[in-house]
């Protein structure tokens, strides 16, 4: 590894501590530089600004989870209603467990995103996931209706609110530093709760 790469990694390590302790808005590149015995100008040779440093810490994990969830939902769109029902009724849906795996594989990144990202483009990260889920659920409802299932009409705003609550609840495992084994049971219970609610809302 080159000296430049070593320096970049050190900057990220010190910056992560600064962001974790103070949050993005109150974190200071000057403090990071001081801790490293560098000038702020030396840091800005590697990263254009404070947000670029933050993004370097979280971007890979954030986009991996987003992409994985989007692909899962796109695949879900093209299977039969019977298959969808089977997935929905599973005890521990594979897509949720995969999301949980990714969260715990990159726990510090998601801690920064969920708890310390105010003022960055990642402060609305949950909304990106909600948008995918809401759009696919509305399409799923239309598919069920076309296939002869009797389902209620759900307002788009209500769908958005439900998924906002759902994803916010899922990421509470990060907020509270929950051990993964406990998080699996927690997220499974959340799924059962929200799934029961969807059945009540949809079925005539």
């Amino acid at each position: 590894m080159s000296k430049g790469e070593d320096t970049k990694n050190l900057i990220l390590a010190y910056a992560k501590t600064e962001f974790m302790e103070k949050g993005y808005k109150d974190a200071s590149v000057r403090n990071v530089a001081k801790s490293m015995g560098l000038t702020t100008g030396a840091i800005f040779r590697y990263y254009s600004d404070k947000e670029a440093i933050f993004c370097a810490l979280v971007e890979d994990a954030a986009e991996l989870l987003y992409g994985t969830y989007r692909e899962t939902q796109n695949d879900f769109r093209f299977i039969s209603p019977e298959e969808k029902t089977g997935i929905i009724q599973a005890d521990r849906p594979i897509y949720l467990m995969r999301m949980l795996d990714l969260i715990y594989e990159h726990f510090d990144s998601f801690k920064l995103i969920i708890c310390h990202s105010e003022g960055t483009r990642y402060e609305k990260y949950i909304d990106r996931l909600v948008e995918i889920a809401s759009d696919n659920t509305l399409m799923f409802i239309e598919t069920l209706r076309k296939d002869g299932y009797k389902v209620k009409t759900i307002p788009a705003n209500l769908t958005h609110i439900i998924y906002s609550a759902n994803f916010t609840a899922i990421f509470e495992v990060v907020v509270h530093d929950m051990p993964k084994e406990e998080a699996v049971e927690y997220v499974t219970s959340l799924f059962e709760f929200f799934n029961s609610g969807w059945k009540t809302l949809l079925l005539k």
Side-chain angles (χ1 to χ4, degrees), residues 99-141:
M99 285 183 66
L100 207 57
D101 286 342
L102 290 175
I103 289 169
Y104 277 83
E105 286 167 14
H106 306 277
F107 196 86
D108 284 353
S109 294
F110 286 105
K111 187 75 171 182
L112 288 171
I113 291 169
I114 301 303
C115 301
H116 305 293
S117 65
E118 184 182 358
T120 77
R121 69 186 189 212
Y122 286 100
E123 68 176 309
K124 301 293 185 182
Y125 182 73
I126 287 177
D127 288 347
R128 294 174 63 192
L129 299 172
V130 169
E131 184 177 352
I132 295 172
S134 298
D135 289 346
N136 278 280
T137 295
L138 292 173
M139 284 188 283
F140 175 45
I141 292 171

Side-chain angles (χ1 to χ4, degrees), residues 10-69:
L10 279 173
I11 291 170
L12 293 179
Y14 279 94
K16 182 167 77 171
T17 298
E18 179 79 359
F19 289 135
M20 286 288 196
E21 290 179 354
K22 301 176 181 176
Y24 175 80
K25 290 182 72 174
D26 292 328
S28 167
V29 176
R30 184 175 290 105
N31 287 343
V32 174
K34 183 178 179 181
S35 297
M36 296 181 66
L38 298 175
T39 64
T40 55
I43 288 180
F44 289 139
R45 282 201 292 271
Y46 294 95
Y47 297 99
S48 59
D49 55 25
K50 184 169 72 170
E51 186 168 8
I53 300 173
F54 187 91
C55 290
L57 284 165
V58 306
E59 185 172 27
D60 287 349
E63 297 310 315
L64 178 60
L65 180 63
Y66 177 76
T68 298
Y69 184 67

